[in-house]
Amino acid sequence: MGQQASTGLTTFNQFWVYVMPLFGAYVADTYWGRFKTIWVSVITAIVGHVILTASGAPSVIAHPHNALAAFIIGLIIMGIGTGGFKPNISPLIAEQIPRRMYVKTTKKGERVIVDPAVTTARVYNWFYLFINVGALIGQLSMAYAERYVGFYLSFLLPTALFCVTLPVLFFCRKWYAHTKPEGSVLGPAIKILLLGVANRFHWNPWRFWKQLQAGDFWEDVKPSKMDPALRPAWMTFDDAWVDEVSRGWKACGVFLWYPLWWITYNQINNNLTSQASTMALHGVPNDVVANLDPFALIICIPIFDLFIYPAFRKAGIKFTPIKKITAGFWVGSAAMIWAAVVQAYIYKRSPCGSHPTGCAKADINVWAQTGSYVLIAISEIFCSITSLEYGFSKAPKNMRSLVAAFSLFMSAISSAICEAFNPLSTDPLLVWNYGIFAVIAAIGGTAFWFTFRKLDAQEDELNMLPTGHLGTKEAADDIEQTPSVGSRPPSDEKVH
């Protein structure tokens, strides 16, 4: 269908699967809980998989309009299933980790503090690694299945494997720690924010902004600070829950910057794949090259988790989430610079000049794209994995799926931004396409750091907040405990 049409359709899919998590998270936090929502979502996604497989059947694909209609319907249904799965699976995993800091003695006799924040970061590193193991195996097998057999086999392989998750979920259901839904928590969280804004409102924009940034913003909306006679009926929570909500809104503020990074990652899904098709492939399908990203992640994640991050901690360098995200923006910008340089050489070396699509291949080996994919993979470690960790650690317990969904929604916004730049996704403008995204990511990362450097200094303090309660404490069913060890370990103990 051409580069613009295919880019438009894949960008729509990217937008759809990152909008639906808002709905899936709301259902989980308010009504069903995370596990039941995941269960229903997997079944829904399987239905979408089956329709997608049918769209690639030879008898269907012989009628392009019918095949395209079935393909789009399959994408939409899969997106609904994805929307229930994505925002709930990562919080469910981290909830299996005890949220209490404690001291233990190793076999070597060394006393260490087990820090749940560090543990959560490590778990998400390996969670993301296994996602990419599946991506690498699946995308390689699908690309060659499509090339030598057909689309129906390409889509059938993940459909069959995905069905295996149902018995796994069923037989392991009793092993998981479950967090019960507590009714609508989004409403009170929004009302607290609006109440605080209303109390600080001023017609002078500068004065209004300064009052919003005042350090006592959240203190003034705590139940204990209000006259019981004037306290709203919806204020059925304690002061600790207000602190948690404050932390959750700050996390959402961090995620608001993510579209400026996601636009660099999204180039994997369309433009970089199309770029590969204009280069010397040497028998490799152009959509196989994109697997350099999960391959690089499989190599780089253990290196960062086992060597680089521990080396930083031993050296006393606090490579906090805010610092990681800032670095991710800059590395993503570098990936786009690499892609722009490669594209410029394609235009220079192609027999058709600045219109290489559909022409003889430029005499540039397709593996010249490696730098873009490796840099994007490293930026994912800094940005994408950290968003899982940051969202879980900063969200109130009964809003974790919603905060995770908000983080995912930023990818949908980036897809909308990419749609606006879609006119640049064609020859001879692709150098401008990559160059503009590089500049946006670099400026965004710099502005991000200066915006949140004060929040970065509060990282340990925010992680040590006690769990709050919405409604009566008896009904809260709190399964977590406040940390039993201070935020700073004794000098003779190490943090693991």
Side-chain angles (χ1 to χ4, degrees):
M1 295 178 66
Q3 182 163 348
Q4 278 190 300
S6 61
T7 297
L9 191 56
T10 55
T11 303
F12 161 75
N13 179 59
Q14 189 84 357
F15 177 82
W16 178 245
V17 299
Y18 286 109
V19 166
M20 288 309 296
L22 293 172
F23 172 75
Y26 178 77
V27 170
D29 282 338
T30 307
Y31 299 108
W32 288 353
R34 275 180 267 284
F35 183 80
K36 182 178 178 180
T37 305
I38 290 171
W39 178 265
V40 174
S41 299
V42 168
I43 294 174
T44 303
I46 288 174
V47 173
H49 271 269
V50 171
I51 296 174
L52 199 70
T53 304
S55 75
S59 59
V60 177
I61 212 169
H63 305 280
H65 292 295
N66 295 342
L68 182 62
F71 179 79
I72 293 174
I73 292 171
L75 288 183
I76 291 173
I77 295 177
M78 281 177 61
I80 296 172
T82 301
F85 182 84
K86 267 185 176 291
N88 291 303
I89 190 65
S90 55
L92 182 70
I93 288 172
E95 283 175 345
Q96 311 312 307
I97 302 168
R99 306 308 301 170
R100 182 175 57 85
M101 194 179 290
Y102 61 94
V103 177
K104 78 171 187 178
T105 303
T106 67
K107 293 180 179 180
K108 297 179 180 180
E110 183 183 42
R111 297 182 70 236
V112 298
I113 293 177
V114 180
D115 185 346
V118 176
T119 306
T120 300
R122 293 204 66 191
V123 165
Y124 278 137
N125 279 330
W126 291 92
F127 169 62
Y128 207 79
L129 177 126
F130 283 110
I131 287 174
N132 283 278
V133 169
L136 182 63
I137 296 171
Q139 288 170 185
L140 281 173
S141 62
M142 290 173 68
Y144 281 99
E146 180 274 320
R147 181 166 185 168
Y148 295 110
V149 180
F151 282 106
Y152 73 93
L153 178 62
S154 179
F155 295 146
L156 180 62
L157 292 174
T159 301
L161 286 173
F162 197 42
C163 291
V164 177
T165 61
L166 286 175
V168 172
L169 284 171
F170 179 79
F171 288 111
C172 297
R173 67 192 187 281
K174 293 182 180 179
W175 296 354
Y176 305 140
H178 298 264
T179 300
K180 297 180 181 179
E182 298 183 4
S184 179
V185 295
L186 181 61
I190 292 177
K191 289 176 180 177
I192 296 173
L193 178 65
L194 294 179
L195 178 62
V197 171
N199 291 341
R200 304 298 174 105
F201 180 77
H202 196 278
W203 291 107
N204 184 321
W206 175 249
R207 185 173 177 182
F208 179 44
W209 172 254
K210 295 295 288 183
Q211 290 181 165
L212 289 179
Q213 298 300 309
D216 59 350
F217 179 91
W218 293 101
E219 286 295 321
D220 288 350
V221 293
K222 288 183 176 180
S224 63
K225 299 296 179 68
M226 302 185 69
D227 185 342
L230 302 176
R231 190 180 301 162
W234 49 265
M235 195 170 278
T236 58
F237 42 78
D238 57 16
D239 287 1
W241 197 73
V242 176
D243 288 331
E244 284 194 284
V245 169
S246 164
R247 188 178 61 182
W249 282 120
K250 290 174 181 175
C252 290
V254 168
F255 295 148
L256 281 173
W257 290 77
Y258 262 66
L260 303 183
W261 172 77
W262 276 112
I263 59 176
T264 64
Y265 173 83
N266 286 349
Q267 301 309 299
I268 292 178
N269 300 319
N270 37 61
N271 286 322
L272 285 179
T273 301
S274 298
Q275 183 188 72
S277 69
T278 65
M279 305 172 71
L281 294 170
H282 302 290
V284 178
N286 66 300
D287 46 1
V288 164
V289 183
N291 289 282
L292 282 170
D293 174 66
F295 184 72
L297 282 165
I298 291 171
I299 294 173
C300 291
I301 287 175
I303 292 174
F304 276 85
D305 186 67
L306 298 175
F307 301 104
I308 296 178
Y309 289 160
F312 283 168
R313 288 195 290 270
K314 288 181 180 179
I317 300 173
K318 291 188 176 181
F319 198 34
T320 56
I322 298 297
K323 292 186 179 75
K324 291 178 185 177
I325 295 168
T326 302
F329 273 85
W330 292 337
V331 176
S333 175
M336 292 300 96
I337 293 173
W338 189 294
V341 171
V342 170
Q343 189 66 50
Y345 272 94
I346 290 172
Y347 286 161
K348 184 178 180 180
R349 305 284 287 273
S350 171
C352 298
S354 59
H355 292 79
T357 304
C359 183
K361 311 293 185 184
D363 60 343
I364 301 174
N365 195 301
V366 71
W367 300 113
Q369 287 189 315
T370 300
S372 292
Y373 284 106
V374 171
L375 288 169
I376 286 176
I378 294 173
S379 75
E380 278 184 81
I381 295 173
F382 290 148
C383 282
S384 187
I385 298 178
T386 304
S387 71
L388 301 174
E389 167 198 344
Y390 200 73
F392 179 84
S393 64
K394 301 299 181 289
K397 186 182 66 176
N398 45 17
M399 288 182 63
R400 283 172 179 159
S401 291
L402 279 169
V403 173
F406 186 83
S407 173
L408 294 168
F409 180 61
M410 295 302 102
S411 180
I413 294 178
S414 76
S415 297
I417 295 173
C418 289
E419 285 284 13
F421 282 96
N422 200 26
L424 295 179
S425 298
T426 188
D427 298 320
L429 303 174
L430 285 166
V431 174
W432 281 97
N433 176 78
Y434 299 123
I436 288 173
F437 288 156
V439 171
I440 291 174
I443 294 175
T446 303
F448 174 86
W449 169 251
F450 282 105
T451 302
F452 294 110
R453 64 187 188 279
K454 292 182 179 179
L455 186 63
D456 180 67
Q458 302 172 354
E459 178 66 20
D460 288 340
E461 177 186 344
L462 292 174
N463 286 338
M464 299 297 287
L465 288 179
T467 301
H469 300 86
L470 179 67
T472 63
K473 290 193 175 184
E474 292 77 13
D477 190 25
D478 181 29
I479 63 170
E480 299 180 5
Q481 301 177 30
T482 55
S484 59
V485 180
S487 60
R488 293 185 179 272
S491 58
D492 63 334
E493 293 172 341
K494 298 180 180 180
V495 176
H496 279 204

